[in-house]
Amino acid sequence: MTYDEAIGKVEAIVKDLEQSEALSMDVYKKKAQEAKELLDFCEKQLGVMEKDLLV
């Protein structure tokens, strides 16, 4: 997965959460966890890029 793909998936999750009127707590929790994992991946990718630029 690329950084751009991960960001796109996070954006889709946020849009889905904003448009959903009533989500069960289980569904909300699952989507929030997925978004967190994607953001963690993005943060790691940014760290790698930053490290590469400083070398």
Side-chain angles (χ1 to χ4, degrees), residues 3-41:
Y3 177 88
D4 290 333
E5 290 170 339
I7 288 294
K9 288 182 180 186
V10 170
E11 290 172 347
I13 291 170
V14 170
K15 185 177 179 182
D16 188 38
L17 290 174
E18 289 176 341
Q19 292 178 350
S20 298
E21 295 277 328
L23 289 176
S24 73
M25 184 57 85
D26 291 335
V27 171
Y28 181 85
K29 182 179 177 182
K30 182 179 177 183
K31 289 183 178 284
Q33 181 63 36
E34 182 181 1
K36 180 187 179 312
E37 290 170 4
L38 289 164
L39 290 171
D40 288 345
F41 170 82

